[in-house]
Amino acid sequence: MPNWGGGAKCGACEKTVYHAEEIQCNGRSFHKSCFLCMACRKALDSTTVAAHESEIYCKTCYGRKYGPKGVGFGQGAGCLSTDTGDHLGLNLQQGSPKPARSSTPTNASKFAKKTVDVDKCPRCGKSVYAAEKIMGGGKPWHKTCFRCAICGKSLESTNVTDKDGELYCKVCYAKNFGPKGIGFGGLTQVEKK
């Protein structure tokens, strides 16, 4: 049936919406007075509306009905939302409520596994976590332990050498493990005399 002499039909009241009072949302037209949250009936505008299929909600009610549920998903930082939405006619309880967690771990081996997989520093023997890990000689090191074993100089990828699982700066490595003799940084002719 053609729509004679008027605009589109309102998504809420199904009456004709004229251009002077039209608000559009999700391809549907609404009267300004009908552009209300379907749960709490609060007036909406373009910044507070949240649409779900053919329904419109304020962001708070939309979050209660369609948002994530559980600990940490409340209305503020670190809050547990216990609002069920019953006073708004929202049926948010899906299934039976879950029993509260006990304070003791149910599977201790799962927790033990996580601590075993952490790499150990070859110098100090303590755990090396990703934030402080430097790889050298194929092993993980703490930033503070990534030093020459002889002189204690802090090492970088450009001046590190490894021998038998220990790290050395290039100077100490050359002095202790490099070639010996005249012209190789060892004894010179002056020192021989």
Side-chain angles (χ1 to χ4, degrees):
M1 180 173 180
N3 190 2
W4 302 106
K9 298 289 183 189
C10 176
C13 70
E14 298 296 324
K15 294 182 181 173
T16 303
V17 180
Y18 296 98
H19 292 288
E21 57 181 359
E22 182 180 34
I23 296 178
Q24 289 192 342
C25 177
N26 262 11
R28 297 174 59 214
S29 297
F30 293 89
H31 293 105
K32 287 180 184 176
S33 59
C34 293
F35 199 58
L36 305 171
C37 174
M38 296 185 88
C40 68
R41 308 299 294 162
K42 183 167 77 171
L44 301 173
D45 61 29
S46 62
T47 61
T48 60
V49 70
H52 182 80
E53 296 171 357
S54 63
E55 302 170 335
I56 56 173
Y57 297 96
C58 65
K59 290 188 177 183
T60 304
C61 292
Y62 180 86
R64 285 184 185 137
K65 188 165 184 175
Y66 299 108
K69 310 286 186 286
V71 176
F73 294 107
Q75 295 297 316
C79 139
L80 170 61
S81 178
T82 57
D83 184 7
T84 61
D86 289 337
H87 66 286
L88 300 174
L90 301 176
N91 184 11
L92 302 180
Q93 298 294 334
Q94 297 166 353
S96 61
K98 294 181 180 176
R101 284 188 182 181
S102 66
S103 61
T104 57
T106 55
N107 187 356
S109 64
K110 184 176 14 173
F111 296 103
K113 239 189 286 181
K114 289 183 182 178
T115 57
V116 172
D117 293 341
V118 177
D119 296 321
K120 300 287 183 187
C121 176
R123 174 92 19 100
C124 69
K126 294 181 180 176
S127 297
V128 180
Y129 298 99
E132 57 188 358
K133 184 191 293 190
I134 295 180
M135 294 299 289
K139 297 178 183 171
W141 300 77
H142 291 109
K143 289 179 184 177
T144 54
C145 295
F146 199 66
R147 299 181 169 277
C148 176
I150 296 171
C151 69
K153 178 181 174 186
S154 184
L155 300 172
E156 297 174 0
S157 62
T158 58
N159 66 352
V160 67
T161 54
D162 67 307
K163 179 171 174 62
D164 300 326
E166 198 54 74
L167 299 178
Y168 303 94
C169 66
K170 290 194 179 219
V171 174
C172 289
Y173 182 86
K175 282 183 186 175
N176 293 287
F177 307 110
K180 307 282 188 253
I182 297 175
F184 289 107
L187 296 174
T188 61
Q189 291 179 354
V190 176
E191 291 173 350
K192 272 188 168 180
K193 293 181 185 176

